[in-house]
Amino acid sequence: MAKKSEVRFEGFLPTPPADTWTAITAGTGGWLWPIEYEPRDGGTESGLTPKGGMVTVWKPSRHFVTYAEDEKGWFNTLEYFLEPKDDGTYLRFEHTTVLDDWDVEYDACVRHTAFYYHSLGEYLAHFNGRQVRYFASDAPEASSAPEAFEAVQAAIGATAVGDRVRFEVPGVDTVEGVVDYLTSHFIGVRTEDALYRFYGRNAWDWPVGIGHHLFAEDADADKAEKAWTTWLNALYTQV
């Protein structure tokens, strides 16, 4: 049965409101996935929702709202309030929508939101304003098994936040970085020129996935996508 959902995040981010605003409204490829907003009240949204939506509040560096709906009664609202605090921004965020499978989708939404806005902080602290190339990789259907994400954690060698990790992905340079996020559901690895976001979506019977945010000027996203897909497939050939 469909049910209304409200998920919130609030916290300090290490850049002033103008930079934080830009990351949210024009730089989502650096920490989430690419979304385009027409910069005005009534502007269009594309890339966030299936059929696109509308910007309903556009007050730069202060208040941003985007809204979408369909003919079946579904709707989706993201609302951001930004306030200057110390040398950074205090962000208050609320996501309101309608979920069809409440027990599964609400838990997934809460946990993804926490990871996404942690990733926003990592982006702002380490890669703010840099050009990004983004792509996503999905593991085979076998990765939706209950313990499947353990294979990713073992391959990375992540045991705690702050760990230095080094692992091989044939076809791309050796990945060397620090674990910036670690739960039973997600792993974040930050390198000198990339954010890698590992999603253990098998917790909700979905395949494991990776979000790749590449900031190196010479990053070859097509080559990297092929290499990481091969890496994921190899992890689950025997699952």
Side-chain angles (χ1 to χ4, degrees):
M1 180 178 178
K3 185 175 179 181
K4 182 180 177 181
S5 162
E6 296 179 355
V7 174
R8 298 177 177 86
F9 167 87
E10 61 179 87
F12 179 80
L13 295 168
T15 52
D19 286 4
T20 305
W21 172 271
T22 298
I24 291 169
T25 61
T28 55
W31 58 278
L32 187 60
W33 64 80
I35 303 167
E36 293 184 3
Y37 298 109
E38 189 178 3
R40 63 179 179 85
D41 288 343
T44 58
E45 164 266 302
S46 61
L48 175 66
T49 54
K51 296 183 179 180
M54 178 183 293
V55 173
T56 57
V57 178
W58 182 271
K59 295 181 179 179
S61 302
R62 294 179 294 155
H63 187 198
F64 172 62
V65 183
T66 181
Y67 176 80
E69 63 182 11
D70 69 15
E71 65 280 359
K72 297 180 180 180
W74 173 87
F75 67 90
N76 191 71
T77 303
L78 304 185
E79 182 165 20
Y80 299 83
F81 290 97
L82 295 78
E83 300 173 6
K85 182 175 182 180
D86 300 328
D87 293 326
T89 302
Y90 194 81
L91 175 68
R92 290 183 290 123
F93 165 77
E94 182 172 304
H95 177 199
T96 308
T97 191
V98 175
L99 302 177
D100 291 327
D101 187 348
W102 172 266
D103 291 338
V104 172
E105 294 180 25
Y106 181 76
D107 182 65
C109 189
V110 169
R111 295 180 188 273
H112 279 75
T113 297
F115 192 24
Y116 291 150
Y117 288 91
H118 167 84
S119 297
L120 172 59
E122 290 292 295
Y123 165 74
L124 290 170
H126 300 281
F127 304 106
N128 183 26
R130 287 174 60 176
Q131 185 73 25
V132 64
R133 294 172 176 83
Y134 170 84
F135 67 92
S137 303
D138 290 322
E141 191 63 33
S143 69
S144 61
E147 309 302 325
F149 196 54
E150 294 177 4
V152 171
Q153 185 171 351
I156 295 171
T159 59
V161 170
D163 281 354
R164 299 291 307 182
V165 294
R166 185 178 191 274
F167 59 98
E168 302 292 333
V169 178
V172 298
D173 293 338
T174 299
V175 178
E176 296 185 68
V178 62
V179 177
D180 63 82
Y181 195 87
L182 180 64
T183 70
S184 58
H185 300 78
F186 305 120
I187 302 170
V189 173
R190 185 186 71 248
T191 72
E192 290 186 355
D193 55 17
L195 289 174
Y196 297 105
R197 313 286 91 180
F198 299 87
Y199 297 96
R201 294 179 174 133
N202 58 304
W204 304 284
D205 295 326
W206 307 328
V208 167
I210 310 174
H212 310 255
H213 309 268
L214 310 181
F215 300 98
E217 291 184 3
D218 60 350
D220 186 336
D222 291 337
K223 178 182 176 182
E225 184 171 3
K226 292 176 182 177
W228 280 95
T229 299
T230 299
W231 185 81
L232 275 174
N233 287 341
L235 287 182
Y236 296 106
T237 54
Q238 297 180 351
V239 173

